[in-house]
Amino acid sequence: MLTSDFYFDLPPELIAQHPSGVRGQDKLMLLNRATGVVEHHFMDDLPSLIEPGTLMVFNNSRVRRARVYGIKETTGRETEFMFLNTIDKDCCVWNVMVKSAKKQKPGMRYKFPDGTLATIIDHEGNAGTEFRALKFDFAINEDWFERNGHIPLPPYIKRGDTEEDSERYQNVYATDTGSAACPTAGLHFTEEMLARLDNAGIERCFVTLHVGLGTFLPVREEIIENHKMHEEWYTIPPETAAAINKAKREGRPILAVGTTSVRTLESAGRALLAEEREGEACITPETCGTADARESGEHGRTEWVRAGTSSTSIFMYPGYKFNVVDKMFTNFHTPESTLIMLVSAFAGRERILDAYKTAVANKYHFFSYGDCMLIS
């Protein structure tokens, strides 16, 4: 398939530049992926649109103040860095995305707002990319980012971050800091909405995937199959794995909140399938080696995911077969992005593009601070 197959016209005025006046007061489009039928709702309607017994899976990653500006020692010019992840276990060397990367070369030193100094060093794989390795003389931590950093609003928000963003560009349930971008599908949820979902008999659990910028980098390949995703780390807690496997065995739907939750669950599910095919893993410790191990649950399975921490560079586009996720709650995504390719894999390219055309006609707002979609 071609990258251009995922283009759609989007008037600039529909790109949300600010959050809604009150969190959770957003439009919600319901898309039936089997029929393509679209319904228009509001976020307030969500509990009535989800089947009781559904298990919702949220990504609890919290956004780091990851955009930091340093002054280049040789020129005195300001340089923007986006901190993604540590490269060494001592947290002294960081993988960063840097503006005007071709000009930022090994040996160059930068001073950050609190006077901290760091140096670009050689790192395998960074040549010719937007990424650099930045070495500090000591480990930097979240306190350092709080003192020096800014909320990393995406580039299509054409303004600087404000104090409002410190609260509104975080999910209310976010607990584990580490993302360079918010898992923005969760921005629509309030504590009140979570309570209403509880009261409606809808369960929830959490995974953690710290969002890097690989998900949001443009697809530069003309043929999408040639695009390579950057690696991101995820964790599935034991209680979450147990809840997912129980729901699947009982035939209850898994509703992933956001594409990061989708990528986490499908990555874990694909890894488990690969292990089972190779005969290297038991279905459960209790039934390891027994004849009935594969004869319970849907299609003879008892496990769909396992607890643990791993990395993923999964890239989902039309033709991908979903193994864990049954429904998806998501925002509206940018043209020709890996994210619109992912939702197109789930609901079909034509249906997604038709739904997006309808959203434009009905003046839905798009992207991080925009409106939302439930695909069922």
Side-chain angles (χ1 to χ4, degrees):
M1 301 188 78
L2 301 179
T3 299
S4 57
D5 291 335
F6 298 88
Y7 177 80
F8 64 94
D9 287 317
L10 179 64
E13 63 269 20
L14 295 185
I15 300 174
Q17 297 297 308
H18 296 271
S20 57
V22 177
R23 188 190 289 263
Q25 291 189 353
D26 309 295
K27 291 181 181 178
L28 186 157
M29 176 182 285
L30 175 63
L31 171 64
N32 185 315
R33 64 178 176 138
T35 64
V37 172
V38 163
E39 296 177 12
H40 301 288
H41 295 272
F42 290 95
M43 184 64 188
D44 196 55
D45 301 327
L46 183 64
S48 66
L49 303 177
I50 301 175
E51 176 186 345
T54 296
L55 177 64
M56 298 183 74
V57 184
F58 295 80
N59 180 7
N60 66 6
S61 181
R62 184 172 177 82
V63 181
R64 171 179 288 130
R65 298 181 75 90
R67 176 174 283 123
V68 189
Y69 297 89
I71 302 298
K72 187 184 292 187
E73 279 194 335
T74 55
T75 64
R77 291 182 179 176
E78 187 176 75
T79 301
E80 178 185 318
F81 295 90
M82 185 72 74
F83 284 71
L84 302 177
N85 55 272
T86 56
I87 292 175
D88 72 335
K89 63 182 178 62
D90 297 319
C91 300
C92 295
V93 182
W94 282 75
N95 183 36
V96 298
M97 177 183 271
V98 58
K99 283 285 185 72
S100 303
K102 290 182 180 179
K103 299 179 181 179
Q104 320 307 328
K105 299 177 180 179
M108 291 181 172
R109 285 167 60 85
Y110 305 82
K111 180 182 285 188
F112 292 96
D114 66 351
T116 306
L117 293 171
T119 305
I120 290 181
I121 63 173
D122 283 314
H123 183 65
E124 183 181 359
N126 279 349
T129 72
E130 301 94 335
F131 303 98
R132 294 291 183 269
L134 198 59
K135 185 179 187 303
F136 293 81
D137 292 332
F138 58 89
I140 61 173
N141 55 25
E142 297 307 328
D143 289 339
W144 187 89
F145 287 105
E146 287 297 318
R147 293 195 307 271
N148 293 279
H150 295 261
I151 295 295
L153 295 178
Y156 46 74
I157 294 181
K158 305 298 184 183
R159 61 177 178 81
D161 63 309
T162 66
E163 279 305 309
E164 180 186 34
D165 297 307
S166 298
E167 186 257 333
R168 292 298 299 274
Y169 197 65
Q170 298 280 13
N171 293 318
V172 297
Y173 49 79
T175 56
D176 193 346
T177 301
S179 280
C182 183
T184 52
L187 293 178
H188 304 280
F189 291 84
T190 63
E191 295 290 357
E192 178 187 10
M193 175 56 69
L194 294 175
R196 289 181 59 204
L197 292 168
D198 290 343
N199 292 335
I202 298 159
E203 296 182 26
R204 71 174 173 276
C205 59
F206 298 94
V207 297
T208 304
L209 182 143
H210 291 316
V211 186
L213 294 182
T215 301
F216 303 97
L217 286 174
V219 178
R220 297 190 175 98
E221 301 286 349
E222 181 180 1
I223 299 172
I224 67 171
E225 289 86 348
N226 295 335
H227 176 71
K228 303 298 182 186
M229 296 286 286
H230 286 271
E231 189 175 62
E232 294 170 316
W233 286 87
Y234 67 85
T235 298
I236 300 179
E239 60 272 21
T240 293
I244 291 169
N245 292 328
K246 183 174 186 290
K248 296 294 281 186
R249 286 195 299 270
E250 294 173 353
R252 294 184 286 117
I254 305 297
L255 196 170
V257 177
T259 56
T260 58
S261 296
V262 173
R263 295 182 74 239
T264 298
L265 298 181
E266 290 299 317
S267 297
R270 192 163 69 166
L272 183 57
L273 280 174
E275 287 184 9
E276 291 177 353
R277 289 190 187 109
E278 292 171 5
E280 295 177 355
C282 305
I283 299 298
T284 66
E286 294 79 14
T287 60
C288 179
T290 64
D292 63 347
R294 298 175 182 270
E295 294 180 2
S296 60
E298 184 186 11
H299 306 304
R301 304 195 65 193
T302 60
E303 272 191 316
W304 282 257
V305 299
R306 282 195 181 139
T309 296
S310 188
S311 65
T312 180
S313 56
I314 192 171
F315 178 25
M316 287 176 274
Y317 50 84
Y320 176 84
K321 183 182 185 303
F322 286 79
N323 295 298
V324 182
V325 175
D326 303 299
K327 300 172 186 277
M328 190 186 307
F329 181 95
T330 186
N331 282 7
F332 291 90
H333 303 295
T334 53
E336 300 183 337
S337 65
T338 61
L339 300 179
I340 194 171
M341 294 171 189
L342 185 156
V343 296
S344 295
F346 192 68
R349 185 184 73 91
E350 293 81 7
R351 282 180 177 153
I352 286 293
L353 291 178
D354 286 346
Y356 275 42
K357 187 181 296 184
T358 299
V360 169
N362 286 271
K363 299 193 181 306
Y364 279 70
H365 285 102
F366 281 66
F367 310 160
S368 294
Y369 277 147
D371 295 310
C372 51
M373 171 186 280
L374 175 62
I375 307 175
S376 65

